Amino acid sequence: MPRLFVVATPIGNLSDMSPRALETLKTCGLIAAEDTRVTRALLNHFGIDTPCISNHQHNEEHRAAPLIKRMIDEELDVAVVTDAGTPCISDPGCVLVREAASAGIDVVAVPGPTAMASALSVSGFDTREFAFYGFLPRGRKELREKLLAMARSGVPVGVVHESPHRVIDLVRTVADTLPGCRISASCDLTKLYEKTIRGDAADVLAQLMANEKAEKGEYCLVLDMSGVRLEEQEAAPDASLEAQIFEELLRGCDLRAAGERLTERGAKRNDVYRARTNVQRFLQDMIDAADSAGEDEDDE
């Protein structure tokens, strides 16, 4: 019976390629690669000429079944790799692994580099319990909701990936949404200019903004949420939008800010606009009534 090898490759430093990984890539019959150009460069560096086929997020669903059939028909050992790190960890490969296991093919891990474990190991945080979230949503509302859900999950540490062009926006949102959160932000792990910034979210944000090279490398961030203290839900789920707006007004928000907070919590913009209009009309009626009562007293 053929075997499917899940092979980890370096995330930056080619010296991290293990002898076992090299031997596996040399002796297997085929390599299923996220990007064949990236993998071919790696193979050429180590003098390996095993043929490659593509297996990425856009074709894996269609690629898996015929590849599994070919493995069985030809008794073909296959290695699955991604551009860097361990396949299936926020990267392609899980569909191929699932189909292979379902077909009775042995799936063998060839462990090695992974940004997640590397970032955790240098964070300095208590990482006995953590959750991995990969890339977080891009939209500010969706990102804020995800961060709140992470903080309320009970798991004290979360690990996320972020691109260099969005890392400042992510850390800014963390600072605004999760007061008390600490961050260890690692960039270019295992490479020559590897850098890790640690501190509370506001401090890390300031350091990133002051670093003119902040947009030069991929980031893996470890969020220590053990010190985060969130406010209780501001209004009961069944409270009307008007009632929730009044709650925000009592907390010192103006009408516009109150409406924005409701939108961030998931209310539809049109509904919030109507509720704001109703509240504004009510308040104006109250002011008009007070003015009218004052005029009557003056007349007397």
Side-chain angles (χ1 to χ4, degrees):
M1 195 68 175
R3 292 170 295 175
L4 178 68
F5 295 93
V6 181
V7 181
T9 56
I11 58 176
N13 192 323
L14 293 181
S15 297
D16 291 335
M17 193 71 176
S18 73
R20 183 183 174 203
L22 289 173
E23 183 63 21
T24 301
L25 296 181
K26 286 178 182 178
T27 58
C28 68
L30 185 67
I31 298 172
E34 180 181 7
D35 186 327
T36 55
R37 296 165 298 181
V38 173
T39 298
R40 180 50 59 193
L42 177 70
L43 297 178
N44 288 341
H45 178 82
F46 290 105
I48 299 172
D49 58 4
T50 305
C52 297
I53 60 169
S54 65
N55 184 76
H56 49 71
Q57 62 175 336
H58 302 297
N59 73 354
E60 188 175 14
E61 288 285 349
H62 306 291
R63 172 75 74 190
L67 181 54
I68 296 303
K69 183 178 185 302
R70 180 181 172 188
M71 290 176 67
I72 295 173
D73 291 345
E74 301 178 18
E75 283 287 324
L76 182 70
D77 286 347
V78 172
V80 56
V81 300
T82 51
D83 293 349
T86 303
C88 308
I89 309 299
S90 196
D91 267 331
C94 61
V95 177
L96 194 54
V97 168
R98 183 186 66 215
E99 294 298 319
S102 296
I105 294 174
D106 284 341
V107 180
V108 181
V110 182
T114 168
M116 172 183 65
S118 299
L120 282 165
S121 70
V122 299
S123 69
F125 300 151
D126 183 346
T127 59
R128 287 175 292 180
E129 184 179 9
F130 67 89
F132 176 66
Y133 296 96
F135 287 93
L136 298 182
R138 295 187 181 185
R140 180 171 173 79
K141 174 186 171 185
E142 294 78 11
L143 173 57
R144 185 174 183 276
E145 290 175 348
K146 184 64 176 180
L147 289 171
L148 289 171
M150 289 164 56
R152 290 173 176 141
S153 70
V155 180
V157 173
V159 187
V160 302
H161 290 320
E162 190 51 279
S163 75
H165 304 295
R166 293 195 300 270
V167 68
I168 289 178
D169 287 339
L170 170 60
V171 174
R172 180 182 290 114
T173 305
V174 172
D176 292 343
T177 307
L178 304 180
C181 181
R182 295 189 299 158
I183 297 177
S184 175
S186 295
C187 175
D188 283 333
L189 282 164
T190 77
K191 296 180 181 178
L192 181 62
Y193 297 106
E194 173 181 335
K195 185 177 182 64
T196 295
I197 301 171
R198 305 171 187 83
D200 64 42
D203 288 340
V204 171
L205 176 61
Q207 291 181 67
L208 287 172
M209 293 180 68
N211 180 9
E212 61 182 18
K213 296 182 179 181
E215 296 188 355
K216 297 298 183 181
E218 298 294 324
Y219 282 83
C220 189
L221 295 90
V222 182
L223 310 184
D224 179 6
M225 299 171 286
S226 60
V228 171
R229 297 293 179 264
L230 298 176
E231 296 179 6
E232 295 298 324
Q233 292 293 337
E234 290 85 349
D238 56 351
S240 68
L241 292 179
E242 287 82 1
Q244 294 181 54
I245 288 176
F246 274 114
E247 290 283 346
E248 297 299 336
L249 294 178
L250 290 173
R251 287 184 170 87
C253 291
D254 58 25
L255 272 173
R256 179 181 295 276
E260 289 176 352
R261 294 201 67 176
L262 266 62
T263 301
E264 289 177 352
R265 294 204 295 265
K268 295 180 179 179
R269 288 192 175 276
N270 289 341
D271 294 341
V272 171
Y273 176 79
R274 284 192 290 270
R276 277 181 49 195
T277 301
N278 292 339
V279 170
Q280 189 172 28
R281 186 181 298 117
F282 173 81
L283 293 175
Q284 188 60 54
D285 289 345
M286 293 291 290
I287 293 171
D288 292 343
D291 290 345
S292 177
E295 292 174 358
D296 291 343
E297 290 179 1
D298 292 341
D299 291 342
E300 293 177 0

